[in-house]
Amino acid sequence: MGFSVTAASVIFGIAMIASLSAASSVYWQTATHLEESRRVAEERTLDAVRTTMTITNYVWNNGPKTVEFTITNEGTSALDFTSFNYLFSGTITFAAQEANYPKLNGASPPNSNLLLPGETLDCRFSQISEPTAIQVVAANGAIAHYPG
Amino acid sequence: MGADTTSTQLIFFIAATVLATATAGILSGIVIDLSGKASIKGRAFGDELQSEVEVINDASRVSNNPVLFYVKNTGAKTLDWYNMTVLVDGTIVTTTKSLLGGETTFRTGAVAQASYATTLAAGDHNVRVVMENGVADDLKFRI
């Protein structure tokens, strides 16, 4: 009888070790994934908080039907301007800009895809009529609106 | 008599061993099953943390009839744009969804459009867009 108890205890012990081993492995994998995800979410939030853009130098050219404006990165995050979305009068457009635009810090073609803090991006789009408003959306969701 | 005692003890031993093994097996199975489900839930939550969408409409210039909503994927995960749920003023509405800008997947940076074939009354409204993993965004706008 004593040996039966011992054998049963050994069986329970082995089963418990195997179960805890499997559970532990799953726990650490999941914890690592969650920690990584939390870090990504936090970085995204901080990036959005640090992003500020303004639209200035608005010009409507009625002859060629083009609108010009300048986007300035007044935040502390680097922005990929190739991921910008443009809305004119509330309608999004994916049309290419006019020839020799956009200009990064006044230069065309841009020598980088990044609009760094303090830098300017000159834009020119063809429009059927003068837009009532311009909205630029960065990849992280930050928005610049004109008129402000 | 000695043989009876021995066989009795043997029977008890076998019974105890079988019982212990069965119990241990069931409990181990339950633990492993729970671990698997916890892993699935944890990964789903992790994917939700990495996902984000934003309704990027100009709130003062949303089109009417149809009402067009632009949803941008600002997160780190590719999402199912066709499973997007749209609520306008708290009510789920039927919308025609499409990807814009020549995109084929709703990857990071892509924009999806949800077209709601209705004429909204003038005034303030609210739209809420919910993706398949629960990530959502709201926009208050004016018609």
Side-chain angles (χ1 to χ4, degrees), chain A residues 10-11 16 20 31 35 63 77 80 97 115 118-119 124 132 135:
Chain A
V10 168
I11 291 170
M16 190 172 68
L20 287 176
E35 177 57 27
S77 292
D80 181 355
Q97 297 195 35
L115 185 66
E119 292 189 337
R124 179 189 283 182
T132 57
Q135 180 156 298

Side-chain angles (χ1 to χ4, degrees), chain A residues 47 51 53 71 73 77-86 102 104 110 112-117 119 121 136-142, chain B residues 72 107-109:
Chain A
D47 187 53
T51 301
M53 297 187 297
I71 302 169
N73 183 355
S77 292
L79 305 173
D80 181 355
F81 62 81
T82 61
S83 297
F84 282 1
N85 292 117
Y86 301 89
L104 181 63
S112 167
N113 288 342
L114 297 179
L115 185 66
L116 300 179
E119 292 189 337
L121 187 74
V136 179
V137 185
N140 61 9
Chain B
K72 187 179 179 80
R107 61 174 183 82
T108 299

Side-chain angles (χ1 to χ4, degrees), chain B residues 44-56:
Chain B
F45 183 57
D47 287 347
E48 187 178 339
L49 280 178
Q50 294 190 38
S51 303
E52 187 181 42
V53 293
E54 186 160 333
V55 182
I56 62 171

Side-chain angles (χ1 to χ4, degrees), chain B residues 49-69:
Chain B
L49 280 178
Q50 294 190 38
S51 303
E52 187 181 42
V53 293
E54 186 160 333
V55 182
I56 62 171
N57 285 75
D58 186 335
S60 60
R61 287 166 179 81
V62 176
S63 65
N64 207 0
N65 194 24
V67 185
L68 299 178
F69 298 116

Side-chain angles (χ1 to χ4, degrees), chain B residues 85-109:
Chain B
T85 302
V86 180
L87 294 89
V88 175
D89 298 329
T91 303
I92 291 181
V93 298
T94 302
T95 57
T96 303
K97 304 173 191 65
S98 58
L99 283 177
L100 303 180
E103 299 286 348
T104 55
T105 59
F106 196 30
R107 61 174 183 82
T108 299

Side-chain angles (χ1 to χ4, degrees), chain A residues 1 3-5 7-9 11-12 14-16 18-20 22-24 26-27 29-30 33-42 44-45 48 83-85 87-94 131-135 137-143 145-147, chain B residues 9 12-14 16-21 23-25 27-29 31-32 35-36 38-52 54-63 68 70 72-77 100-102 108-111 113:
Chain A
M1 193 147 175
F3 190 69
S4 302
V5 172
S9 300
I11 291 170
F12 277 127
I14 293 173
M16 190 172 68
S19 302
L20 287 176
S24 173
V26 168
Y27 167 77
Q29 286 176 11
T30 305
H33 180 67
L34 284 176
E35 177 57 27
E36 174 67 20
S37 300
R38 186 201 63 79
R39 187 185 61 77
V40 169
E42 191 175 284
R44 191 173 61 237
T45 302
S83 297
F84 282 1
N85 292 117
L87 289 85
F88 297 99
S89 302
T91 301
I92 198 168
T93 181
F94 291 90
T132 57
I134 301 172
Q135 180 156 298
V137 185
N140 61 9
I143 288 174
H145 192 274
Y146 181 91
Chain B
Q9 287 181 344
F12 274 126
F13 170 72
I14 293 172
T17 304
V18 169
L19 200 61
T21 304
T23 306
L27 290 175
S28 297
V31 169
I32 291 172
S35 297
S39 173
I40 292 171
K41 185 67 177 177
R43 291 206 168 269
F45 183 57
D47 287 347
E48 187 178 339
L49 280 178
Q50 294 190 38
S51 303
E52 187 181 42
E54 186 160 333
V55 182
I56 62 171
N57 285 75
D58 186 335
S60 60
R61 287 166 179 81
V62 176
S63 65
L68 299 178
Y70 305 123
K72 187 179 179 80
N73 183 352
T74 54
K77 290 282 183 183
L100 303 180
T108 299
V111 178
Q113 175 181 282

Side-chain angles (χ1 to χ4, degrees), chain A residues 95-139:
Chain A
Q97 297 195 35
E98 295 288 283
N100 299 320
Y101 282 87
K103 294 182 181 180
L104 181 63
N105 300 318
S108 178
N111 59 359
S112 167
N113 288 342
L114 297 179
L115 185 66
L116 300 179
E119 292 189 337
T120 60
L121 187 74
D122 299 319
C123 303
R124 179 189 283 182
F125 287 87
S126 174
Q127 289 286 294
I128 296 173
S129 60
E130 182 177 8
T132 57
I134 301 172
Q135 180 156 298
V136 179
V137 185

